[in-house]
């Protein structure tokens, strides 16, 4: 809010892990707003400043707007962070103001597993789809044992819950101020916030809009693409691939509402795995700037948007033009997407509007595309 001074912002940031204070990422046409941040810390000296900051955010939405906080983690994980990392979760009474009437502040746990459980599930799934000795009548049971579909269901259900709080309300109810966070605010938070926006806003279901969404809520908000790379490392996890998996399920259930399909999302997954796209190589926007990525490396959106231009006559379908895959990337990502079955997903069918951001500019194209254009 414009009423918040810079000094208050710096003080409020101390109350959140890695100083990732609540920041606006989306505003719906009905007035509700979506904020995202990291978990709160036990810094008592800064909690007063953060309460003042969140109250200013709430007042900017509506005088009687309720503050609804979604913690993407399980209750056990939140308590573990409190005891071992100095983090934790909010208490609703911390943000209560006796001078307000008709408001309700609440904290809701979304119970999404952490990056280590997601990696373990993905590796089991990858091993399963690469095997050919499993009988057909046992395959679905083995698939369920990996818990991959269950994890994806929880992420999608969490996004639907957030979207419903922002969209579905009575005419006499004020819009809501919604805050979503996990531990650091760049994994589960990115999954839930971006998927919720895709459900609420038809613009993000277009090619250009989806590029804007990923660029805004993943790259610019600092998802650790390098650390989460499946090429190796203790912090590796298929967080972005899992998000694409969830989007593919929604697109398969409502194909008429999307400008792209699972084939396009498989291409995007392959480009993530190949390790050649500057868009998916860095842990933050600052790292990309320091590496001069905007002018020296290929942006994945140059291929994504070019595919839209070359498939206009075919109705945005057809074969994908990739740039190669990493070890096991092509077979795994394609098999995962082809094996996916639509789960019971409720769409928040309402129009909205979010903030615009432009993807990285590019000065070179994928070699395969150059060959196709020459032909």
């Amino acid at each position: 809010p414009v009423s918040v001074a810079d000094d208050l912002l710096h003080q409020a940031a101390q109350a959140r892990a890695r100083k990732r204070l609540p920041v606006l990422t989306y505003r719906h046409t009905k007035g509700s707003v979506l904020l995202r941040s990291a978990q709160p810390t036990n810094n008592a000296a800064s909690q007063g400043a953060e309460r003042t900051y969140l109250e200013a955010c709430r007042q900017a939405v509506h005088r009687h707007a309720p503050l609804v906080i979604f913690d993407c983690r399980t209750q056990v994980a939140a308590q573990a962070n409190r005891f071992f990392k100095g983090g934790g979760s909010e208490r609703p009474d911390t943000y209560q103001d006796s001078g307000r009437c008709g408001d309700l502040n609440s904290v809701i746990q979304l119970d999404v597993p952490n990056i280590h459980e997601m990696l373990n599930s993905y590796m089991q799934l990858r091993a399963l789809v690469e095997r050919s000795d499993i009988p057909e009548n046992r395959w679905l049971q083995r698939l369920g044992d990996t818990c991959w579909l269950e994890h994806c269901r929880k992420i999608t259900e969490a996004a639907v819950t957030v979207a419903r709080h922002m969209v579905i309300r009575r005419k006499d109810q004020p819009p809501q101020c919604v805050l979503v966070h996990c531990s650091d605010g760049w994994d589960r938070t990115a999954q839930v916030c971006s998927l919720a926006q895709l459900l609420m806003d038809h613009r993000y279901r277009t090619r250009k809009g989806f590029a804007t969404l990923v660029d805004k809520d993943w790259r610019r908000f600092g998802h650790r693409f390098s650390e989460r790379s499946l090429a190796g490392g203790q912090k590796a996890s298929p967080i972005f691939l899992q998000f694409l998996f969830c989007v593919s399920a929604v697109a398969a259930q409502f194909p008429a509402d999307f400008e792209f399909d699972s084939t396009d999302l498989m291409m995007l997954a392959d480009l993530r795995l190949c390790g050649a796209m500057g868009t998916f190589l860095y842990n933050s926007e600052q790292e990309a700037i320091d590496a001069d990525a905007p002018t020296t490396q290929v942006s994945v959106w140059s291929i994504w948007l070019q595919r839209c231009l070359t498939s206009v006559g075919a109705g945005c379908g057809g074969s994908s033009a990739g740039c190669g895959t990493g070890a096991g990337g092509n077979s795994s990502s394609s098999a995962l997407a082809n094996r996916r079955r639509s789960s019971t997903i409720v769409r928040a069918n309402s129009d909205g509007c979010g903030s615009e951001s432009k993807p990285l500019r590019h000065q070179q194209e994928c070699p395969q595309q150059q060959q196709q254009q020459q032909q």
Side-chain angles (χ1 to χ4, degrees):
V2 294
S3 60
V4 177
D6 291 346
D7 291 341
L8 180 62
L9 284 177
H10 289 293
Q11 294 177 26
Q14 301 295 330
R16 293 280 163 174
R18 302 182 185 274
K19 299 182 181 180
R20 293 174 66 90
L21 78 165
V23 177
L24 175 69
T25 185
Y26 179 78
R27 182 182 183 276
H28 195 266
T29 53
K30 293 186 177 181
S32 296
V33 300
L34 180 61
L35 311 177
R36 53 178 292 179
S37 70
Q39 67 177 334
T41 65
N42 56 7
N43 190 338
S46 301
Q47 290 179 357
E50 197 219 14
R51 284 196 298 270
T52 302
Y53 170 68
L54 280 178
E55 176 63 14
C57 294
R58 190 195 65 79
Q59 289 279 359
V61 176
H62 191 278
R63 182 183 173 210
H64 296 299
L67 174 63
V68 183
I69 301 174
F70 289 96
D71 190 337
C72 295
R73 305 164 298 175
T74 62
Q75 185 65 39
V76 174
Q79 292 177 354
N81 274 273
R82 181 186 299 275
F83 289 112
F84 298 108
K85 296 184 179 181
S89 59
E90 299 88 347
R91 295 179 53 183
D93 55 358
T94 303
Y95 302 95
Q96 290 285 5
D97 185 348
S98 59
R100 301 205 311 266
C101 58
D103 306 336
L104 175 64
N105 292 341
S106 59
V107 178
I108 301 174
Q109 303 287 151
L110 296 177
D111 295 332
V112 179
N114 61 27
I115 62 172
H116 308 293
E117 291 187 53
M118 299 303 188
L119 177 61
N120 181 58
S121 178
Y122 173 81
M123 297 308 294
Q124 292 183 50
L125 178 63
R126 178 170 173 171
L128 176 65
V129 299
E130 291 176 349
R131 292 180 60 180
S132 59
D133 59 337
I134 300 177
E136 185 68 22
N137 59 354
R138 299 287 302 277
W139 201 90
L140 290 178
Q141 179 184 349
R142 295 292 184 89
L143 175 63
D145 293 340
T146 67
C147 293
W148 178 260
L149 297 183
E150 175 64 13
H151 293 334
C152 293
R153 183 195 65 80
K154 287 185 176 181
I155 294 171
T156 307
E157 186 177 52
V160 170
T161 302
V162 172
R164 281 176 169 169
H165 271 77
M166 295 186 63
V167 174
I168 302 177
R169 59 186 179 85
R170 299 192 309 268
K171 291 184 178 181
D172 59 338
Q173 287 182 318
Q176 301 195 29
C177 182
V178 176
L179 170 62
V180 178
H181 73 79
C182 53
S183 295
D184 296 315
W186 51 47
D187 290 314
R188 287 165 286 191
T189 301
Q191 289 177 323
V192 173
C193 286
S194 53
L195 189 55
Q197 292 172 68
L198 181 121
L199 295 173
M200 290 186 287
D201 196 334
H202 68 91
R203 189 167 55 87
Y204 291 134
R205 298 192 289 271
T206 65
R207 283 182 169 275
K208 185 176 180 180
F210 189 73
T212 298
L213 178 66
V214 173
D215 192 70
K216 172 174 69 73
D217 270 84
W218 290 82
R219 190 182 69 85
R220 293 180 184 271
F221 268 99
H223 175 67
R224 315 293 283 183
F225 279 110
S226 178
E227 289 183 357
R228 300 293 180 259
S229 171
L230 296 175
Q234 296 181 347
K235 298 181 179 181
S237 190
I239 299 301
F240 184 67
L241 294 182
Q242 193 172 40
F243 164 70
L244 296 179
F245 204 89
C246 294
V247 174
S248 178
V250 180
Q253 189 168 357
F254 306 102
D257 295 319
F258 284 80
E259 214 175 71
F260 49 88
D261 55 21
S262 60
T263 303
D264 301 309
L265 294 170
M266 278 193 288
M267 180 195 71
L268 206 56
D270 286 341
L271 293 175
R272 163 68 175 124
L273 290 170
C274 76
M277 300 293 103
T279 310
F280 299 144
L281 285 181
Y282 303 98
N283 290 326
S284 66
E285 186 178 13
Q286 186 61 52
E287 283 190 11
I289 294 175
D290 293 342
D292 200 21
T295 58
T296 62
Q297 298 179 11
V298 179
S299 167
V300 70
W301 308 124
S302 65
I303 302 174
W304 174 263
L305 297 177
Q306 178 66 24
R307 173 168 162 73
C308 181
L309 294 176
T310 57
S311 60
V312 169
C316 282
S319 60
S320 59
C323 210
T325 58
N330 188 25
S331 61
S332 296
S333 63
S334 300
L336 297 188
N338 287 332
R339 293 283 191 180
R340 184 71 167 100
R341 295 295 182 265
S342 297
S343 58
T344 303
I345 302 170
V346 180
R347 177 184 52 166
N349 188 13
S350 180
D351 295 345
C353 59
S355 56
E356 288 281 358
S357 59
K358 296 182 179 180
L360 287 173
R361 297 181 61 85
H362 66 283
Q363 293 191 357
Q364 55 182 333
E365 296 182 345
C366 175
Q368 290 187 9
Q369 281 201 328
Q370 292 178 352
Q371 294 176 3
Q372 290 177 357
Q373 290 178 359
Q374 290 176 359
Q375 293 175 356

